[in-house]
Amino acid sequence: MTTPTIDSAPEASTGPKPPTRVQGGLLDPKMLLQSLPDAVRKLNPRTMWRNPVMFIVEVGALWATVLAAVDPTWFAWLIVAWLWLTVIFANLAEAVAEGRGKAQADTLRKAKSDTMARRITDSGEEYIPAAQLAQGDVVVVEAGQVIPGDGDVIEGIASVDESAITGESAPVIRESGGDRSAVTGGTTVLSDRIVVRITQKPGESFIDRMIALVEGANRQKTPNEIALNILLASLTIIFVFAVATLQPLAIYSKMTNPGVPDGAALTGDGVTGIVMVALLVCLIPTTIGALLSAIGIAGMDRLVQRNVLAMSGRAVEAAGDVNTLLLDKTGTITLGNRQAAEFTPLTGVSPEELADAAQLSSLSDETPEGRSIVVLAKERHGLRARSSGELTNAQWITFSATTRMSGVDLDDLHRLRKGAASAVAEWVRAAGGDVPIELGQIVDGIAAAGGTPLVVGEVQNGRARVLGVIHLKDVVKQGMRERFDEMRRMGIRTVMITGDNPLTAKAIADEAGVDDFLAEATPEDKMALIKKEQAGGRLVAMTGDGTNDAPALAQADVGVAMNTGTSAAKEAGNMVDLDSDPTKLIEIVEIGKQLLITRGALTTFSIANDIAKYFAIIPALFVAVFPGLEALNVMRLHSPQSAIASAVIFNALVIIALIPLSLRGVRYRPSSASKLLSRNLYVYGLGGIIAPFVGIKLIDLILQFFPGM
């Protein structure tokens, strides 16, 4: 194959626009109309049988349609219409939940199309469609070109625009080696040149998985969801038998009370078929059966809205049951960059003198620590923020692992150094100076408090001495203590993982407010801690980004891999944070708990609804035969026909009314399990009992003006 030159190369693909973020919340009428055709298509029995409760409703609606065609009445066709609406409303809940991800999926598909890859071969380079890339291929990507597939950077460093995946416009750095080598297909290189080894299999790229996830195509039912489906199916079977027993009871009642007139609900042959179907649909748990799938899809969608991809619904559910959070110290609990917090001079040295020397020795230090020293000297002591360019004759000494010092030689007579205590002390002694005992006391005090001591030394006019110590502090992020207090109220234990020594780790842990810490942690230590927690029956969540985190991420019940991390880490975890924000693990746990609470709340509401509907319909149906039931007919419904029709209509309308809540989720407040249970029983249990009485009565007041009621 002829290899085209760079000049004759196809025009570089431009990066796709960020995916549309479909906001959660109340039902959008436009989305409702867009989802209606999908809801109708879901009436296919091959689709409906996956939901046993709604499949029974569809079969009942079909049978009622046949009965109404044989013996047409206004009452019969009214019931048939609302039975079909009940099924459509149930499908609509799922269709709307799935439709919320379609806009994102459509945008993501654009990231795959029309992308060409510059594959490196033995004979040079060749241009092929990105879809033809195989695992192990090596491609080169330059500024302005789209990365054709998922892989690891094996050569070079570049600034990459990942807005097509994360929605975040700020570019990120990707480089060979280390934990920031992974790149994603569909993102755009903004500068420089990188060589990428493709790690994806055909059709299994990160974008392919994102598309499947946001559309719900790969959503599998979770263990709790399966268990709840079994419960709902069992309740449905019980109510089928319960409704079936009404037929012989009705026939016997008519035989022993021949003076009772026939009606649309009760005849000499017993309860009519239309009424039997209506009763069954009203009494089985149709509300939660209709919304269960939508709740699960919406839970994953809420994660997508926060730029987190859950590779399975099981992971989202497990997040709601997490008992232990393992959090990395650097970048999660702390800002990650040590900041200068204090200048501590030795006896005989003024604070201003130490600050001036510290600032001078840090002017060429472009590390966050060096810049913070310059700023602290300016803010605390009013020293002007000088630049290294002003000192034209100065010789700058850069930090090295060998010397463990940096600084400046202003001239032959004036030299400054800052660095590790032992290194600076040795430098001062070599220049003929003494190191006072006071220095060791200050250094030990800072280390015991969790800080990092940097010693400043000076040689001026032949006199060598130690000036003092700079206290570098790993700054805890604002609000972390409050977040950990919330976790504690939720019954979650927080553990900080760090490579620091135990003294430093304890100081940071106490300041942040975590429950425990693991110091000087190795990958083996993380694994051992996770297994120990799981052996005690706890579910564990952790974050990670490096290859050495992969075993622990795979072992954890919820493993959140950073998108900036290695391919090994992303493959091992069951969630990927596209923003690479380690603190998002706390939000993930809250979303998981919200999912479980929403499912539990609506299940409570649904079952309470069924109990209330039972006491609303049965007395109205049999009060003519058994006058004693009048005491239970608290709503004083107009007639048996009106009672049944009102219940069927309410049963359908309550589904559509609860779709927004199932998509948005029940509001979660950090609290103990017992308090959450009490609140749900009070709000959704009591509310589920009261709502049918109010709703059915209002509908009955309207229906009594129609003929045949």
Side-chain angles (χ1 to χ4, degrees):
M1 178 181 294
T2 304
T3 304
T5 63
I6 299 299
D7 293 334
S8 63
E11 185 178 349
S13 303
T14 57
K17 295 179 181 179
T20 304
R21 303 293 176 190
V22 184
Q23 299 300 319
L26 298 176
L27 203 59
D28 182 1
K30 182 179 179 181
M31 185 174 291
L32 191 71
L33 292 174
Q34 291 175 343
S35 303
L36 192 56
D38 289 335
V40 175
R41 281 192 289 269
K42 287 179 180 289
L43 291 174
N44 188 329
R46 290 179 295 182
T47 302
M48 292 296 299
W49 76 268
R50 298 189 183 95
N51 188 336
V53 175
M54 298 316 300
F55 182 67
I56 292 292
V57 177
E58 184 178 40
V59 171
L62 185 61
W63 176 239
T65 304
V66 174
L67 293 177
V70 173
D71 185 16
T73 64
W74 193 90
F75 169 77
W77 283 114
L78 177 67
I79 297 297
V80 167
W82 281 100
L83 288 177
W84 281 112
L85 284 175
T86 302
V87 184
I88 291 175
F89 288 164
N91 290 343
L92 191 62
E94 185 175 26
V96 169
E98 292 175 350
R100 286 151 59 92
K102 286 186 176 180
Q104 292 167 317
D106 290 342
T107 306
L108 289 169
R109 283 194 179 93
K110 294 177 183 177
K112 293 180 59 181
S113 61
D114 302 328
T115 300
M116 298 296 291
R118 290 172 56 188
R119 183 169 63 181
I120 298 177
T121 64
D122 294 337
S123 57
E125 294 181 7
E126 63 179 3
Y127 281 85
I128 63 170
Q132 296 180 14
L133 287 173
Q135 193 174 25
D137 283 347
V138 176
V139 298
V140 60
V141 191
E142 294 185 338
Q145 295 181 331
V146 174
I147 297 174
D150 301 350
D152 290 321
V153 179
I154 59 175
E155 180 185 321
I157 179 172
S159 175
V160 179
D161 175 10
E162 294 189 340
S163 60
I165 306 298
T166 66
E168 175 58 52
S169 58
V172 296
I173 300 298
R174 293 290 177 264
E175 57 186 329
S176 59
D179 295 338
R180 295 182 179 271
S181 61
V183 291
T184 305
T187 57
T188 306
V189 173
L190 298 179
S191 67
D192 303 297
R193 173 185 182 274
I194 53 175
V195 178
V196 178
R197 177 179 286 113
I198 302 298
T199 58
Q200 73 181 44
K201 296 178 182 178
E204 297 182 10
S205 69
F206 195 66
I207 288 184
D208 288 321
R209 285 185 289 166
M210 283 184 69
I211 292 170
L213 286 166
V214 297
E215 287 188 324
N218 283 356
R219 200 188 80 86
Q220 297 178 343
K221 290 184 178 180
T222 64
N224 282 351
E225 201 171 342
I226 293 172
L228 185 54
N229 266 316
I230 294 173
L231 173 63
L232 297 181
S234 302
L235 289 175
T236 301
I237 294 172
I238 291 171
F239 278 113
V240 167
F241 285 109
V243 171
T245 60
L246 295 178
Q247 185 72 326
L249 178 63
I251 294 173
Y252 175 77
S253 300
K254 287 289 291 184
M255 291 174 59
T256 55
N257 296 275
V260 177
D262 289 347
L266 199 61
T267 68
D269 296 326
V271 180
T272 61
I274 292 284
V275 173
M276 291 279 285
V277 173
L279 283 174
L280 177 62
V281 170
C282 288
L283 299 181
I284 63 176
T286 50
T287 305
I288 185 61
L291 299 174
L292 187 58
S293 181
I295 293 170
I297 295 172
M300 295 185 71
D301 181 70
R302 282 193 290 275
L303 280 178
V304 172
Q305 297 298 326
R306 288 163 177 79
N307 276 348
V308 177
L309 291 182
M311 298 308 171
S312 70
R314 184 187 298 267
V316 185
E317 191 171 274
D321 286 328
V322 160
N323 308 108
T324 304
L325 278 183
L326 304 186
L327 299 163
D328 188 48
K329 184 203 75 172
T330 306
T332 304
I333 296 175
T334 66
L335 293 175
N337 296 320
R338 294 172 299 175
Q339 303 288 311
E342 192 69 48
F343 295 123
T344 306
L346 295 186
T347 301
V349 180
S350 68
E352 290 75 15
E353 189 177 3
L354 172 59
D356 183 63
Q359 188 186 65
L360 282 170
S361 63
S362 302
L363 289 178
S364 67
D365 187 350
E366 292 301 323
T367 65
E369 294 89 346
R371 289 194 295 269
S372 71
I373 293 171
V374 175
V375 172
L376 182 65
K378 177 184 177 183
E379 292 179 348
R380 292 281 181 88
H381 302 282
L383 297 176
R384 181 174 60 87
R386 294 163 288 189
S387 67
S388 59
E390 296 178 26
L391 306 175
T392 55
N393 297 322
Q395 182 179 354
W396 301 100
I397 310 300
T398 58
F399 177 86
S400 72
T402 304
T403 63
R404 295 188 298 154
M405 295 186 300
S406 62
V408 59
D409 292 342
L410 297 173
D411 51 47
D412 293 338
L413 300 177
H414 194 187
R415 293 177 289 161
L416 298 169
R417 296 290 186 274
K418 77 171 192 302
S422 59
V424 174
E426 184 179 344
W427 179 78
V428 169
R429 290 193 188 99
D434 293 327
V435 178
I437 298 176
E438 181 187 5
L439 176 65
Q441 296 171 344
I442 296 173
V443 168
D444 291 343
I446 291 174
T452 301
L454 280 184
V455 176
V456 179
E458 177 188 57
V459 175
Q460 186 173 18
N461 298 323
R463 181 192 177 194
R465 60 174 179 159
V466 177
L467 298 178
V469 184
I470 305 169
H471 182 177
L472 293 181
K473 187 178 180 182
D474 207 351
V475 181
V476 174
K477 289 182 178 179
Q478 189 174 5
M480 290 307 295
R481 177 173 283 275
E482 290 74 15
R483 297 295 294 271
F484 291 138
D485 288 341
E486 287 184 11
M487 295 290 109
R488 206 168 288 113
R489 287 196 295 271
M490 293 159 56
I492 296 175
R493 178 170 169 263
T494 52
V495 181
M496 182 185 77
I497 299 177
T498 177
D500 290 338
N501 63 70
L503 280 177
T504 302
K506 185 179 187 306
I508 297 294
D510 291 341
E511 183 179 354
V514 296
D515 297 311
D516 202 355
F517 65 90
L518 179 65
E520 298 177 342
T522 64
E524 292 76 17
D525 293 334
K526 296 177 187 178
M527 282 284 289
L529 178 59
I530 293 173
K531 290 180 179 179
K532 179 182 176 182
E533 293 288 325
Q534 291 172 333
R538 302 180 186 92
L539 294 184
V540 181
M542 75 161 289
T543 60
D545 59 0
T547 301
N548 62 345
D549 292 324
L553 286 171
Q555 180 67 35
D557 300 283
V558 179
V560 184
M562 301 295 100
N563 191 41
T564 57
T566 61
S567 298
K570 290 195 281 188
E571 288 294 329
N574 49 25
M575 290 189 186
V576 177
D577 177 18
L578 302 178
D579 294 331
S580 300
D581 177 9
T583 61
K584 201 175 288 183
L585 180 58
I586 299 174
E587 292 183 49
I588 291 171
V589 170
E590 291 175 348
I591 291 172
K593 286 192 174 294
Q594 185 185 37
L595 170 66
L596 296 179
I597 290 170
T598 301
R599 188 186 294 155
L602 292 183
T603 300
T604 303
F605 184 89
S606 177
I607 294 176
N609 253 265
D610 296 333
I611 296 172
K613 285 182 286 188
Y614 187 89
F615 285 100
I617 300 173
I618 300 301
L621 183 62
F622 287 97
V623 69
V625 180
F626 301 106
L629 290 176
E630 184 66 29
L632 296 178
N633 190 17
V634 294
M635 286 189 286
R636 298 295 187 266
L637 299 178
H638 179 66
S639 66
Q641 294 90 336
S642 176
I644 294 166
S646 299
V648 170
I649 294 172
F650 174 83
N651 193 63
L653 292 179
V654 76
I655 294 174
I656 203 74
L658 289 175
I659 290 179
L661 183 61
S662 67
L663 299 181
R664 183 181 61 235
V666 174
R667 184 179 178 184
Y668 172 69
R669 297 183 180 90
S671 182
S672 64
S674 58
K675 288 184 179 179
L676 288 173
L677 178 61
S678 299
R679 177 177 174 270
N680 276 355
L681 288 176
Y682 179 75
V683 174
Y684 295 97
L686 185 60
I689 293 175
I690 295 174
F693 284 94
V694 176
I696 290 174
K697 181 60 180 178
L698 291 175
I699 297 172
D700 174 74
L701 292 175
I702 298 173
L703 289 181
Q704 64 181 334
F705 297 105
F706 288 82
M709 293 293 163

